[in-house]
Amino acid sequence: MHIEKGRLSIACVCMVLGLMLSVQFRSTQDIRASLPFQRVEELSARLHQMEAENKELEAELRDLKGMSGSEKNEKIADDVMMFAGMTALEGPGIILTIDDSGKIAKKDNDPNLYLVHDEDILKVVNELRAAGAEAISINDQRLTANSEIRCAGPTISVNNVRSAPPFEIRAIGDKDNLINAINMRGGVADSLKVWGIKLDIQPSDNVWIPAYKASSKYKLATPSTKEASK
């Protein structure tokens, strides 16, 4: 009688363990299956964005072909000024604010982990650019090809202008794409929240971004007609 009860108990335990393993296996498979799907969705969204941008460029090219010489030169000059950041811009986008953590650092953790660093700002800017941001500023400093984002003691330097947190990052572009780029699973927002870094995103239909204020003259570089060396 005791032997039968023991066998019954063992059988019950085996059934429970088997059920638990089955559930765990299915959960793992579901997670693995969802990750590639999320990646496909992200790539598909970026492909549609690139196709839309390509159509806009084709339309702009047709417009240029239909313009007179003076109109074409003026249009090209305006575009160059915009791309160079020499013109203040406005349009739909987001206003993102990043500030130091309000958490008290644990004994075993480096207190610097709870502060905003230049690399954190760089990660945010890179995600915004990858999501199609057409113009970006940090604390009213317009980002251009010559802009630097680097640590300067307890502050961060942008265009050789130092500023302390909170950092207000403005970006013009598709609001949904910009927000999704920052908030995607395992992305920059998730990594900052681990240490309690404060991050707030506000979409706006009219984001204003200032022009680049510093001098952009080239002292040593000159135009070249040489082809790139192989």
Side-chain angles (χ1 to χ4, degrees), residues 140-211:
D140 290 333
Q141 289 298 317
R142 177 73 169 273
L143 293 188
T144 70
N146 293 327
S147 297
E148 92 291 347
I149 301 174
R150 59 185 177 85
C151 178
T155 63
I156 291 178
S157 174
V158 181
N159 296 336
N160 286 320
V161 176
R162 295 186 179 188
S163 60
F167 299 100
E168 183 183 81
I169 301 176
R170 292 172 170 251
I172 293 176
D174 184 284
K175 291 179 287 186
D176 292 335
N177 287 344
L178 297 178
I179 293 173
N180 291 337
I182 299 299
N183 288 333
M184 66 178 176
R185 185 178 300 178
V188 61
D190 284 351
S191 64
L192 292 176
K193 288 176 181 177
V194 170
W195 307 107
I197 300 295
K198 301 170 188 175
L199 189 148
D200 177 70
I201 305 176
Q202 295 295 330
S204 174
D205 292 327
N206 190 17
V207 175
W208 183 83
I209 293 181

Side-chain angles (χ1 to χ4, degrees), residues 216 224-225:
S216 58
S224 175
T225 57

Side-chain angles (χ1 to χ4, degrees), residues 40-196:
V40 169
E41 280 190 329
E42 179 186 345
L43 292 175
S44 177
R46 294 195 177 182
L47 177 61
H48 288 312
Q49 178 186 341
M50 292 178 67
E51 289 175 346
E53 290 175 357
N54 187 48
K55 290 180 180 178
E56 290 177 2
L57 289 173
E58 289 177 350
E60 186 175 346
L61 180 60
R62 288 194 296 270
D63 291 341
L64 284 172
K65 288 180 178 179
M67 291 180 181
S68 64
S70 59
E71 289 176 334
K72 187 182 296 185
N73 291 336
E74 185 178 350
K75 177 68 169 61
I76 292 174
D78 290 341
D79 288 344
V80 169
M81 291 291 286
M82 288 177 62
F83 292 142
M86 307 305 291
T87 304
L89 300 176
E90 60 182 349
I94 63 170
I95 300 174
L96 187 151
T97 305
I98 305 179
D99 201 355
D100 292 338
S101 173
K103 290 183 177 181
I104 299 175
K106 297 180 179 179
K107 292 182 179 180
D108 297 334
N109 289 339
D110 183 351
N112 287 318
L113 295 173
Y114 298 83
L115 305 177
V116 180
H117 296 279
D118 53 335
E119 59 186 29
D120 300 322
I121 302 295
L122 277 169
K123 289 177 182 177
V124 171
V125 169
N126 286 338
E127 289 298 341
L128 293 175
R129 282 177 168 162
E134 297 177 0
I136 303 174
S137 68
I138 302 173
N139 283 4
D140 290 333
Q141 289 298 317
R142 177 73 169 273
L143 293 188
T144 70
N146 293 327
S147 297
E148 92 291 347
I149 301 174
R150 59 185 177 85
C151 178
T155 63
I156 291 178
S157 174
V158 181
N159 296 336
N160 286 320
V161 176
R162 295 186 179 188
S163 60
F167 299 100
E168 183 183 81
I169 301 176
R170 292 172 170 251
I172 293 176
D174 184 284
K175 291 179 287 186
D176 292 335
N177 287 344
L178 297 178
I179 293 173
N180 291 337
I182 299 299
N183 288 333
M184 66 178 176
R185 185 178 300 178
V188 61
D190 284 351
S191 64
L192 292 176
K193 288 176 181 177
V194 170
W195 307 107

